Amino acid sequence: QVQLVESGGGWVQPGASLKLSCAASGHTGRRYTMGWFRQAPGKEREFVAAFRWYDRATVHADSVKGRFTVSRDNAKNTLDLQMNSLKPDDTAVYFCASSNRHLIISAMSLNHMYDYWGQGTQVTVSS
């Protein structure tokens, strides 16, 4: 089993930045693919960004390209999501997910390809 814990959420004004982190514990001897998803009230969970461990390949949703960046922090052993130029539409609960597979690029955005999920962290963007 792998446990995922997100941190870094909060309330910010439009245009501000936040950085989310996801820490994994349990059977994490090898990392494969990890991602960020979000769910706003009354909406389905949607893909935000993903990172493939062995070659550092990344995928970002069109809605966040140029504003959000997914990366890994080797020193802290976390998956991070740097979010800049935040908009009210970015308000959601953000979830970290981990897959036991090296997902192909086209699969990295599919939530059913992920095996473990964190509890989520709330991000609220409003003035």
Side-chain angles (χ1 to χ4, degrees), residues 7-8 15 19 27 57 67 70 74-75 98 107 109 112 118 120:
S7 62
K19 183 177 180 180
H27 294 292
R67 300 188 300 122
V70 65
N74 290 330
S98 179
S109 61
H112 67 271

Side-chain angles (χ1 to χ4, degrees), residues 105-119:
I105 294 293
S106 60
M108 290 169 68
S109 61
L110 304 177
N111 58 13
H112 67 271
M113 300 301 289
Y114 291 84
D115 304 291
Y116 305 101
W117 293 83
Q119 293 298 307

